[in-house]
């Protein structure tokens, strides 16, 4: 144990005096960098999901008991190590400026988390605890840090300009054994539990220990004892965290009532549909016509059929209902298939704005069923504060020529099929990443989810795999099948338990068919997820307030 004590002493600063133990600054920087990089590796395309837990532990250890300014700096370092590689796909077509700008915002959120966690843990370490119970203190610190992590995720998904709800801990488990727990806990709750599992060993390892409680008041013996204790305590904390995760893995997904089934065909046209792709007008829809005709040829040869066909986002290009030839051809395809076709198209609004929409085609043409994307992407589908940003980067701002308005129509469409009317929930591209959209889909009665997307702007980067992981996690959270259909991939039909029912090779023209369950009702995650996230957020705020108050009362400087 002396070896582990010397090792801990080399890593820690503040052991043996009245201060709370924390990592030495260079060690803390290395821990922050390692945690951020490890967190990225836990996400697709590497998808090494077990790394999410030590990643949180390393980030938490870096900021634990630090001063406020240093906590912010370490949080920002961890954020940079995570976000800069995680969303590097933004640079593929748009260059470094949009990537750097979004990274900067996300890094600031990580920095604020680091500041809050540092203040909370340092203050709670100095607070008076009944009987000086270090375990109680450690649990309070770990719960506070986990809640603050979740609160950071929630805030970055809302501010600024509607936020960017990407890179959440819950989605690292899309292929892991605790995925089913998201149907009970929701994205926010599962993220908080993962953060708690990572923070608890750190809290127990770095909880302050007095010489009196170690049984040695002479000084040197106390120092050795206190330095050997962190390793033992961290192992005990890791065992508790592992027990929590094993328990979650044993919990089955929340079951919903199945009301029927639907045979779905989804088309991936592999079209040149990126912003800067060299293509002629009508090329995208022609690719999807061809892929659909090939699908129908195959089905007819096999004596099979489908109840509905799904096309991706933007697959019918601009104003498909107003284009006579496209309108008629879609109607003929629907007639041949004896099934409606749900297509993505861009529609002009009366006020000069545009909508990124889904429209249902039947044998008689477009129906009244229409959904407009609720979460248009800032700086891509609309330009906030255009005059201000135009003065800074005019060339990039001028690329955003259309102003897309957020949709206000119901999130679920009534699609008439030969199997009867089906309520199909629609999530266009980044709609799928926002929690309120999931709640709205269930509230509007969606029995299945059509997640139409266009990933062509991101090429063969990790973006489409990351988005598919979000869609997979969302399917389990909602207890509904999700048809994740892209122009170029990654396309898959996902069962309510997260399994792939069908999948397509990216960058191939193809179509997939699967029979999916139709369900009704709402999982506990959808019923109580928002309330649970609020409660967890309150825990974080109260822990931070208690820590800050303790620091003020002890009249010790927060900064060092």
């Amino acid at each position: 144990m002396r070896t582990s004590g010397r090792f801990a002493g080399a890593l820690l600063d503040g052991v043996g005096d009245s201060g709370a133990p924390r990592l030495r600054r260079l060690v803390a920087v290395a821990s922050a960098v390692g945690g951020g990089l490890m967190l990225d590796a836990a996400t697709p395309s590497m998808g090494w999901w077990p790394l999410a837990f030590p990643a949180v532990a390393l980030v938490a250890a870096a900021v634990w008991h630090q001063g406020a300014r240093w906590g912010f700096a370490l949080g920002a370092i961890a954020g940079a190590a995570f976000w800069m590689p995680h969303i590097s796909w933004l640079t593929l077509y748009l260059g470094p400026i949009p990537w750097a700008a979004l990274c900067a915002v996300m890094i600031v959120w990580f920095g604020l988390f680091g500041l809050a966690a540092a203040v909370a843990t340092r203050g709670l370490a100095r607070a008076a605890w009944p009987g000086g119970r270090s375990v109680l203190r450690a649990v309070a610190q770990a719960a506070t840090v986990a809640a603050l992590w979740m609160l950071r995720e929630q805030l970055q998904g809302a501010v600024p300009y509607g936020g960017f709800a990407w890179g959440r801990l819950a989605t690292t488990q899309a292929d892991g054994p605790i995925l089913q727990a998201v149907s009970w806990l929701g994205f926010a709750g599962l993220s908080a539990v993962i953060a708690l599992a990572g923070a608890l060993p750190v809290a127990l390892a770095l909880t302050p220990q007095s010489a009196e409680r170690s049984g040695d008041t002479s000084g040197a013996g106390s120092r050795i004892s206190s330095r050997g204790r962190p390793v033992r305590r961290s192992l005990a904390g890791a065992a508790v965290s592992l027990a929590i995760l094993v328990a979650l893995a044993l919990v089955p997904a929340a079951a919903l009532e199945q009301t029927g089934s639907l045979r779905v065909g989804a088309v991936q046209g592999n079209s040149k549909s990126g912003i800067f792709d060299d293509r002629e007008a009508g090329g995208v829809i022609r690719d999807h016509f061809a892929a659909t005709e090939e699908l129908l040829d195959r089905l007819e040869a096999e004596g099979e059929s489908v109840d509905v066909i799904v096309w991706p986002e933007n697959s019918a290009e601009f104003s498909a209902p107003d284009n006579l030839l496209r309108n008629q051809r879609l109607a003929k395809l629907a007639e041949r298939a004896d099934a409606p076709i749900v297509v993505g198209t861009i529609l002009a609004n009366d006020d000069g704005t545009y909508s990124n929409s889904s429209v249902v085609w039947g044998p008689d043409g477009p129906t009244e069923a229409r959904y407009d994307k609720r979460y248009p992407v800032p700086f891509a589908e609309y330009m906030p504060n255009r005059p201000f940003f135009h003065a800074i980067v005019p060339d990039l701002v001028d690329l955003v020529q259309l102003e897309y308005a957020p949709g206000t129509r119901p999130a679920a469409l009534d699609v008439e099929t030969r199997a009867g009317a089906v309520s199909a929930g629609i999530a266009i591209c980044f709609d799928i990443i926002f929690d309120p959209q999931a709640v709205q889909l269930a509230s509007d009665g969606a029995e299945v989810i059509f997640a139409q997307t266009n990933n062509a702007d991101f090429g063969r980067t990790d973006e489409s795999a990351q988005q598919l992981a979000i869609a997979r996690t969302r399917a389990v959270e909602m207890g509904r099948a999700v048809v994740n259909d892209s122009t170029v991939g990654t396309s898959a039909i996902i069962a309510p338990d997260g399994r792939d029912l069908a999948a397509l090779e990216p960058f191939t023209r193809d179509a997939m068919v699967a029979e999916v369950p139709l369900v009704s009702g709402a999982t506990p995650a959808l019923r109580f997820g928002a309330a649970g996230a609020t409660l967890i957020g309150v825990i974080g705020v109260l822990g931070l307030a208690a820590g800050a108050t303790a620091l003020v009362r002890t009249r010790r400087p927060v900064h060092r």
Side-chain angles (χ1 to χ4, degrees):
M1 190 56 67
R2 286 192 177 187
T3 301
S4 63
R6 285 194 294 269
F7 180 70
L11 298 180
L12 299 178
D13 179 28
V15 178
D17 59 17
S18 58
R22 60 191 175 190
L23 295 186
R24 299 183 186 276
R25 290 194 172 181
L26 287 178
V27 177
V29 169
S31 184
V33 172
L37 293 175
M38 199 175 285
L39 186 57
D40 179 54
T43 65
S45 60
M46 293 181 72
W48 296 347
W49 60 265
L51 293 184
F53 307 101
V56 172
L58 287 172
V59 174
V63 302
W64 213 271
H65 293 158
Q66 302 288 350
R69 292 176 183 172
W70 193 233
F72 180 88
L74 288 165
I77 290 169
F82 171 63
W83 282 109
M84 293 176 75
H86 190 63
I87 58 173
S88 59
W89 37 263
L90 264 180
T91 65
L92 184 64
Y93 286 116
L94 298 179
I97 294 178
W99 165 78
L102 183 54
C103 281
V105 174
M106 296 296 104
I107 288 168
V108 167
W109 279 121
F110 245 99
L112 291 173
F113 159 76
L115 184 156
V119 169
T121 53
R122 191 172 185 178
L124 290 173
R126 293 178 178 178
W129 293 90
R133 293 172 182 168
S134 58
V135 172
L136 183 61
R137 178 197 298 118
V139 170
Q141 288 177 311
T144 298
V145 169
L148 290 172
W149 187 294
M150 183 227 70
L151 191 58
R152 172 191 63 79
E153 290 189 350
Q154 296 297 100
L155 290 173
Q156 77 171 43
V159 179
Y161 305 121
F164 185 52
W166 204 266
R168 299 165 76 180
L169 277 178
T171 60
T172 65
Q173 303 306 299
D175 295 310
I178 66 171
L179 175 62
Q180 308 303 325
V182 78
S183 65
W184 298 91
L185 302 174
F187 273 56
L190 184 56
S191 284
V193 170
I194 295 169
L196 179 65
L200 191 57
V202 177
L204 288 169
L206 299 184
T207 189
Q209 295 293 312
S210 66
E212 289 77 15
R213 288 189 63 78
S214 71
D216 182 354
T217 59
S218 63
S222 167
R223 237 174 245 266
I224 293 173
S225 175
S226 65
R227 286 180 175 173
R229 188 174 285 111
V231 175
R232 298 194 299 271
R233 285 185 170 271
S234 65
L235 291 176
V240 172
S241 295
L242 181 60
I244 293 172
L245 298 176
V246 169
L248 284 183
L250 295 176
V251 175
L256 296 179
E257 179 185 1
Q258 183 172 340
T259 59
S261 62
L262 187 73
R263 190 165 169 81
V264 180
V267 175
Q268 177 180 285
N270 191 31
S271 51
K272 292 183 177 181
S273 46
I275 293 175
F276 300 115
D277 279 340
D278 183 15
R279 65 177 182 273
E280 60 184 32
V284 176
I285 194 170
R286 279 199 301 271
D287 289 332
H288 287 85
F289 276 135
T292 306
E293 288 164 350
E294 291 167 4
L295 168 64
L296 295 179
D297 290 343
R298 187 168 72 243
L299 290 173
E300 289 167 359
E302 297 170 353
E304 300 287 345
S305 63
V306 292
D307 298 317
V308 65
I309 297 173
V310 181
W311 280 18
E313 175 190 20
N314 303 150
S315 51
E317 302 187 34
F318 283 88
S319 299
D322 300 325
N323 186 301
L324 182 60
L325 292 177
R326 295 175 186 177
N327 189 335
Q328 290 178 340
R329 191 171 178 185
L330 276 166
K332 288 185 185 231
L333 270 182
E335 182 177 19
R336 178 186 172 188
D338 192 21
I341 305 175
V342 184
V343 306
T345 185
I346 299 166
L347 301 177
N349 300 316
D350 294 337
D351 61 358
T353 63
Y354 290 81
S355 293
N356 189 347
S357 303
S358 290
V359 179
V360 180
W361 248 265
D364 297 323
T367 69
E368 294 297 320
R370 168 181 165 182
Y371 167 80
D372 300 331
K373 185 177 182 180
R374 286 173 171 257
Y375 295 92
V377 180
F379 305 99
E381 292 178 312
Y382 74 97
M383 180 55 62
N385 309 114
R386 184 179 287 269
F388 173 78
F389 289 109
H390 190 273
I392 301 173
V393 282
D395 291 342
L396 285 175
V397 170
D398 287 342
L399 290 175
V400 184
Q401 297 178 356
L402 303 182
E403 291 285 332
Y404 288 81
T408 58
R409 295 170 181 266
L413 304 178
D414 286 332
V415 181
E416 295 293 336
T417 74
R418 61 169 164 263
V422 172
S423 182
I426 308 294
I428 297 178
C429 197
F430 282 7
D431 276 348
I432 197 71
I433 75 177
F434 293 100
D435 294 347
Q437 178 75 0
V439 174
Q440 191 65 51
L441 287 164
S443 298
D444 289 343
E447 299 172 286
V448 61
I449 308 301
F450 297 160
Q452 300 161 292
T453 186
N454 175 15
N455 305 105
D457 281 326
F458 310 115
R460 298 178 183 273
T461 65
D462 291 348
E463 190 277 342
S464 62
Q466 291 170 8
Q467 188 173 333
L468 181 62
I470 295 171
R472 189 182 311 282
T473 309
R474 190 69 76 191
V476 178
E477 181 203 37
M478 297 188 65
R480 286 161 170 78
V482 171
V483 181
N484 192 79
D485 188 26
S486 171
T487 51
V488 296
T490 304
S491 298
I493 300 177
I494 307 161
D497 62 3
R499 291 177 298 114
D500 281 348
L501 298 176
L504 297 178
E505 185 72 22
F507 294 95
T508 59
R509 190 173 76 194
D510 204 349
M512 54 187 172
V513 176
E515 187 161 335
V516 301
L518 300 174
V519 301
S520 63
T523 61
L526 296 183
R527 290 179 183 273
F528 310 113
T534 300
L535 177 60
I536 295 168
V538 168
I539 291 172
V541 171
L542 291 178
L544 174 59
T549 300
L551 286 175
V552 172
R553 285 181 176 175
T554 56
R555 295 184 180 180
R556 294 179 181 178
V558 178
H559 311 301
R560 180 173 177 180

